[in-house]
Amino acid sequence: MSDSLRIWLRLLGWVRPFWRGFSVALVAMVVAAATEPLFPALMKPLLDRGFVERSDFPFWWVPAAIIGIFVVRGCATFCAQYAMAWVSAGVLAEVRRQMFAHTLRLPARDFEREASGLLISRIVFEVNSFTDAATHAVTVLVRDTLVIIGLLGWLFYLNWQLTLVAIGMVPPLALILTQFSHRMRGLSWRNLEQIGELTRTVESAVQGYKVIKVFDAHEREAVRFADTVARLRRVAIRIISSTAATTPVIQLCAAVAVAVVVSIALLQAETDSATVGGFVSFITAMLMLLAPLKHLADINAVIQRGLASAEKVFELLDRPAEADSGSQVLGRASGAVCFRTVTVRHPGASQPALRELQLDIRPGEMLALVGPSGGGKTTLLNLLPRFVESEAGEVLIDGVPIDSLTLASLRAQLALVSQETVLFNGSIRANLAIAVPHSPDDARLWHALEVAALDDFVRALPAGLDAEIGERGTQLSGGQRQRLAIARAVLTDAPILLRDEATSALDSETERAVQGALERVMAGRTTLVVAHRLSTIERASRIAVLEAGRLVELGSHAELLRAGGLYARLHQIQQRAPDAQEPSQ
């Protein structure tokens, strides 16, 4: 089975859930196609009996038959188009739903490896060509193929010799369309790639508008966008030119066939083996073949674009979701975490991000992670929710290897406040509620906001909890966004809290308030904190110092200062060169 046929059959599988509407469309298309040969069939008795023989011919039934044919054809065409549009909309919605749901289940490395603009392009744009090939193309293929079969049947009935001559034009036409299909597939792939690149360029410009404005990079970004648009335009023009070239080729083949048929028909007329009505009916039916043949030629471009899109859609859907091979379900953990000789190597990296890490964290302990950039602090945090996988060693929670736990059970033990504040377009209530499986009552929401020192701000808003925060929280200040993320973590009430630069966007006064609140929340919970400002973790139970993926020091703040090692040097540097200004609120 060829790749195109395999993709096509898989693509049609998406239509199966909508088989009722599809069946209605097919029946309507059969009815509409059956009316096509009826019009040329009227020509033969009309001319032979009504004009040539001038026999008793019922005049009234010809216009009645013509009107009846077009009424039936119009009703059938409407039903077919409406039913197929219903199927197309259903397929489009289902494909997008499954693509989005599967995308959310992909491993974290897939999001880091592929630009978000390309993922957006696949779900939003490429899937349109996918559904066109699954529904619109099927409509044209079925309807026009049936029309061609019906007209050919009438042609064979009238004059099988002339019909065989006309069919002789099919092989060269098929060869031309085959070559065109290969070209269109390649151009469609390039077109989709350029659309994805265009989406990525726009997305990066919209997200980085502040940097563009500050560095006056408008012209540079405009030129980059113009280059992408120009490449997309060149590919689009090549697609259009290739598609347009097929029409005159088909018409030329048809003209040759008509010329040959007319010549042979004139010879047959000399021997009285053909009547005027039969000849006109034959030519009419033959000319009526041009429209469905052109439709089939045009739909080939749609099919090739659809197959190219389908390959990309299926590539995404076929990617393995993040491994969830664990079967054990853990109740609420006490919070004991153990790293046993863990080594982590990121894809493509020459050196491990963590090297044989050996670390035991006691329940309820606050462990701070410090060290130079690239030391492995964030990688260590990412091990617990299994955003990254270890190359060697194992990670345990309450003595249970996290690989043996289901992902849902594992992540139910964790709350995360990351360095990059992630908020969603919607209300404050919706952004908080995402942290728990069921909608929490307002009392819990206000408690979480109070812990994060954000309750006064929210109470002052006219809409309160239902106030919209804008895309990625643009209606809030940096500090407010950070505190809302902290409130969301508080709401989960998980036994293990992961904080990656959790107070990096807070001014000193707000930071002290949040730190005090977090200390109350952290009581009885295990907390892992990554912080570059060492003043925020001086009261940690222990401090782990990481350098080049290795644990080089471990102890309390006072112990590490007395040891005079890397931590002491980092602390001394920050004491000599404090922040020039406080982070924005």
Side-chain angles (χ1 to χ4, degrees):
M1 182 183 297
S2 67
D3 287 343
S4 296
L5 180 58
R6 176 181 54 80
I7 295 172
W8 178 254
L9 292 176
R10 183 177 177 185
L11 189 151
L12 290 180
W14 289 87
V15 180
R16 191 176 300 117
F18 308 94
W19 65 270
R20 289 183 176 85
F22 193 73
S23 300
V24 170
L26 287 179
V27 172
M29 282 187 278
V30 170
V31 173
T35 63
E36 293 284 343
L38 295 181
F39 184 74
L42 284 174
M43 296 296 102
K44 182 175 172 56
L46 177 63
L47 293 174
D48 288 341
R49 296 174 58 192
F51 289 92
V52 178
E53 298 177 4
R54 299 180 181 275
S55 59
D56 294 336
F57 189 71
F59 170 78
W60 60 269
W61 74 267
V62 175
I66 293 175
I67 293 173
I69 289 172
F70 281 93
V71 167
V72 173
R73 182 187 300 176
C75 293
T77 300
F78 171 80
C79 292
Q81 290 180 349
Y82 181 85
M84 194 56 76
W86 181 82
V87 173
S88 178
V91 171
L92 180 62
E94 182 62 19
V95 172
R96 279 181 171 154
R97 186 191 66 79
Q98 291 199 26
M99 288 180 70
F100 184 75
H102 185 71
T103 299
L104 296 180
R105 295 288 184 183
L106 293 177
R109 64 177 179 272
D110 283 34
F111 291 94
E112 296 169 356
R113 180 181 58 200
E114 187 165 6
S116 57
L118 297 180
L119 291 173
I120 294 171
S121 177
R122 290 190 181 184
I123 297 174
V124 176
F125 300 113
E126 294 176 11
V127 72
N128 289 316
S129 299
F130 177 97
T131 52
D132 279 347
T135 54
H136 174 63
V138 172
T139 301
V140 175
L141 285 173
V142 173
R143 182 192 62 207
D144 289 286
T145 300
L146 291 174
V147 169
I148 290 172
I149 292 173
L151 291 173
L152 284 177
W154 176 246
L155 290 175
F156 269 107
Y157 172 77
L158 288 175
N159 194 320
W160 65 269
Q161 296 99 331
L162 292 182
T163 304
L164 289 178
V165 172
I167 292 177
M169 295 292 103
V170 172
L173 186 61
L175 180 61
I176 293 171
L177 290 178
T178 300
Q179 297 299 320
F180 167 75
S181 298
H182 292 309
R183 176 175 173 79
M184 281 301 302
R185 178 74 69 85
L187 290 174
S188 297
W189 261 96
R190 293 184 60 186
N191 186 63
L192 292 173
E193 290 174 353
Q194 292 304 320
I195 290 176
E197 181 64 28
L198 188 70
T199 306
R200 180 168 56 183
T201 303
V202 173
E203 182 193 28
S204 62
V206 171
Q207 292 181 349
Y209 73 94
K210 291 182 180 178
V211 175
I212 294 173
K213 289 180 179 297
V214 168
F215 291 103
D216 195 24
H218 307 84
E219 291 298 327
R220 187 181 302 113
E221 289 300 306
V223 168
R224 189 160 71 97
F225 180 80
D227 289 342
T228 306
V229 170
R231 288 194 298 270
L232 180 60
R233 177 178 176 272
R234 286 194 292 270
V235 175
I237 289 175
R238 292 177 66 183
I239 290 175
I240 292 171
S241 62
S242 298
T243 303
T246 59
T247 299
V249 170
I250 292 174
Q251 291 176 342
L252 178 61
C253 292
V256 171
V258 171
V260 173
V261 167
V262 169
S263 301
I264 296 175
L266 290 174
L267 294 175
Q268 290 180 344
E270 293 180 357
T271 61
D272 294 329
S273 59
T275 66
V276 173
F279 176 72
V280 172
S281 179
F282 190 94
I283 293 298
T284 302
M286 189 172 175
L287 292 176
M288 288 178 66
L289 281 171
L290 294 180
L293 285 173
K294 182 180 183 301
H295 294 161
L296 291 178
D298 291 342
I299 204 62
N300 185 58
V302 176
I303 292 174
Q304 296 308 317
R305 286 196 300 268
L307 292 178
S309 295
E311 288 184 83
K312 288 183 172 292
V313 169
F314 293 150
E315 188 275 330
L316 176 63
L317 291 174
D318 290 341
R319 289 185 192 178
E322 58 180 344
D324 191 7
S325 56
S327 58
Q328 189 170 347
V329 176
L330 185 65
R332 183 179 177 84
S334 66
V337 179
C338 178
F339 297 87
R340 290 182 178 169
T341 60
V342 173
T343 297
V344 176
R345 188 188 304 272
H346 296 306
S350 58
Q351 299 296 325
L354 289 176
R355 303 168 183 261
E356 299 181 350
L357 177 69
Q358 189 79 24
L359 182 62
D360 289 310
I361 306 171
R362 298 182 291 271
E365 180 180 17
M366 176 183 174
L367 179 77
L369 303 171
V370 301
S373 297
K377 304 181 294 297
T378 301
T379 300
L380 189 150
L381 283 193
N382 287 336
L383 274 170
L384 279 171
R386 292 183 60 187
F387 293 156
V388 298
E389 300 288 345
S390 61
E391 181 181 272
E394 59 181 354
V395 183
L396 302 94
I397 294 179
D398 284 7
V400 180
I402 61 174
D403 292 347
S404 66
L405 296 174
T406 64
L407 288 177
S409 175
L410 168 64
R411 291 168 182 172
Q413 314 300 324
L414 308 171
L416 173 66
V417 180
S418 61
Q419 182 176 4
E420 181 183 356
T421 304
V422 178
L423 298 175
F424 301 92
N425 188 17
S427 65
I428 292 174
R429 182 192 302 275
N431 273 272
L432 290 174
I434 198 174
V436 290
H438 304 290
S439 298
D441 55 48
D442 287 1
R444 289 186 60 193
L445 298 181
W446 285 116
H447 171 71
L449 291 170
E450 183 180 354
V451 169
L454 194 61
D455 57 321
D456 290 341
F457 167 76
V458 177
R459 291 184 193 277
L461 296 173
L465 290 170
D466 296 313
E468 297 291 321
I469 65 172
E471 186 178 3
R472 301 188 308 277
T474 53
Q475 301 300 317
L476 306 177
S477 69
Q480 289 163 351
R481 289 197 295 269
Q482 193 77 44
R483 281 177 280 172
L484 183 56
I486 293 171
R488 187 170 58 194
V490 170
L491 193 63
T492 62
D493 193 29
I496 302 173
L497 178 63
L498 308 178
R499 292 170 48 194
D500 188 355
E501 297 287 349
T503 59
S504 61
L506 306 181
D507 58 72
S508 298
E509 182 179 354
T510 305
E511 179 185 356
R512 282 193 294 270
V514 172
Q515 285 287 353
L518 284 174
E519 287 177 8
R520 293 192 298 272
V521 173
M522 291 186 299
R525 291 179 173 82
T526 304
T527 306
L528 280 72
V529 183
V530 172
H532 288 161
R533 279 197 288 185
L534 303 184
S535 60
T536 63
I537 46 91
E538 291 180 355
R539 288 183 289 180
S541 306
R542 287 186 299 166
I543 299 172
V545 184
L546 297 173
E547 184 180 28
R550 295 186 181 278
L551 178 63
V552 295
E553 291 184 292
L554 182 63
S556 66
H557 171 71
E559 291 171 346
L560 295 179
L561 286 181
R562 288 195 299 268
L566 176 58
Y567 179 82
R569 292 198 299 274
L570 293 174
H571 187 271
Q572 187 177 18
I573 291 172
Q574 288 199 7
Q575 290 293 104
R576 286 202 306 263
D579 294 338
Q581 63 181 26
E582 297 292 351
S584 64
Q585 185 179 357

